[in-house]
Amino acid sequence: MHVNGKVALVTGGAQGIGRAFVQALLGKGAKVALLDRNSEAGQESKAALDEQFEAQRTVFIQCDVTDQEQLKGAFKKVIEHFGRLDIVVNNAGVNNEKDWESTIQINLLAANMENYGVRLNTICPGFVNTPILQSIDKEENMGQYYSYKDEIKNMMQFYGVMDPSIIAEGLITIIEDDTLNGEVMKITASQGIHFQEYSQTPFTSSKR
Ligand SMILES: NC(=O)C1=CN([C@@H]2O[C@H](COP(=O)(O)OP(=O)(O)OC[C@H]3O[C@@H](n4cnc5c(N)ncnc54)[C@H](O)[C@@H]3O)[C@@H](O)[C@H]2O)C=CC1
Ligand SMILES: CC/C=C\C[C@H](O)[C@H](O)/C=C/C=C/C=C\C=C\C(=O)C/C=C\CCC(=O)O
């Protein structure tokens, strides 16, 4: 699918990886709805992007993705505003080991989108340089894993921390290659963008 002229919705688009996604999609000619629960960061991001791209190509919608009504309303607004919706990027995420139920609810929201006739792919990055990494030093985020914070920092040094732009490059690859569906794209500092490979099994489903 060509990105040019398409309409994308990016959750958690106000900062970090989501912001890099929005920027890359705009750079490829898309119109983008940037959803985030953080209104201040969302508005700041839109203002910064408007300096680089035509303002009417980006809309910020405040939305907490865990609130089904807000989320449905946001999808409706995007279609009313831009007239269509072609690409959904389920990026919003938190690191909250003390409230793992809400972490799952936020981070894995897209799991039930397969019945909408869309291609569904996932991106699994290693460490990426975004504000979420500051949560490693906070007991309120790390909970029982707080005592591992120095180990995690050692891991970050060992494996490397990537720039969000490489994750955005992975997203554009997924959108542009229509053959990709059900794929797990891994992005690491040492191997770059690559895919999880699964061994072939002899059974072929009649539903494929
Ligand atoms: N930074 C990293 O090293 C890695 C990040 N990830 C995942 O990538 C995604 C993006 O993470 P980062 O950009 O690093 O984080 P970040 O903390 O910099 O940005 C996350 C954005 O999501 C928004 N958000 C959080 N909960 C929300 C909710 N309920 N509704 C709407 N918006 C909400 C935040 O306001 C923020 O703007 C997350 O799902 C994270 O788990 C995955 C692997 C590594
Ligand atoms: C524990 C970190 C806490 C918070 C950050 C966020 O919640 C983020 O979502 C979590 C990221 C966790 C990353 C965990 C492991 C990363 C590993 C690597 O980067 C190494 C990957 C592959 C090794 C092989 C290779 O080098 O290619």
Side-chain angles (χ1 to χ4, degrees):
M1 178 202 285
H2 289 293
V3 177
N4 192 22
K6 298 295 190 308
V7 174
L9 179 161
V10 180
T11 70
Q15 65 177 39
I17 297 173
R19 165 109 180 240
F21 286 158
V22 175
Q23 179 137 13
L25 288 160
L26 288 168
K28 283 274 180 179
K31 295 171 191 158
V32 185
L34 183 171
L35 269 59
D36 208 289
R37 68 179 173 186
N38 183 337
S39 175
E40 202 184 327
Q43 281 166 11
E44 268 174 31
S45 269
K46 166 151 170 65
L49 291 161
D50 288 351
E51 308 241 319
Q52 213 184 332
F53 306 98
E54 299 141 296
Q56 69 270 22
R57 285 176 52 208
T58 313
V59 64
F60 167 63
I61 301 172
Q62 185 179 16
C63 172
D64 183 333
V65 299
T66 62
D67 182 322
Q68 287 298 306
E69 287 311 307
Q70 280 188 34
L71 192 60
K72 277 188 196 160
F75 271 70
K76 217 172 142 214
K77 274 185 205 159
V78 176
I79 293 168
E80 278 165 10
H81 188 83
F82 287 127
R84 56 192 285 165
L85 178 58
D86 308 284
I87 300 157
V88 174
V89 187
N90 176 48
N91 162 79
V94 291
N95 171 28
N96 187 344
E97 294 295 342
K98 284 191 165 171
D99 184 1
W100 58 266
E101 289 99 334
S102 95
T103 301
I104 295 285
Q105 204 186 349
I106 298 169
N107 297 25
L108 298 183
L109 172 85
N112 64 0
M113 287 197 67
E114 63 188 324
N115 294 327
Y116 289 80
V118 294
R119 290 192 287 122
L120 187 56
N121 295 288
T122 192
I123 301 179
C124 298
F127 296 107
V128 186
N129 187 14
T130 74
I132 209 172
L133 293 185
Q134 292 158 16
S135 64
I136 294 166
D137 275 319
K138 295 182 183 150
E139 196 276 334
E140 67 261 34
N141 292 95
M142 297 298 282
Q144 62 183 318
Y145 300 106
Y146 182 66
S147 59
Y148 293 100
K149 67 184 169 71
D150 293 329
E151 283 290 304
I152 294 168
K153 286 178 191 168
N154 288 341
M155 274 175 75
M156 285 166 59
Q157 271 214 311
F158 184 82
Y159 287 122
V161 179
M162 295 173 283
D163 188 82
S165 59
I166 190 182
I167 318 304
E169 204 181 307
L171 173 74
I172 299 296
T173 302
I174 285 176
I175 297 167
E176 289 185 337
D177 184 345
D178 290 315
T179 67
L180 298 176
N181 192 15
E183 296 289 343
V184 175
M185 174 184 274
K186 299 200 286 190
I187 309 181
T188 60
S190 70
Q191 294 183 54
I193 296 171
H194 57 291
F195 289 93
Q196 175 68 37
E197 287 186 10
Y198 296 96
S199 55
Q200 291 292 319
T201 51
F203 180 76
T204 310
S205 167
S206 58
K207 292 194 170 169
R208 286 200 74 170

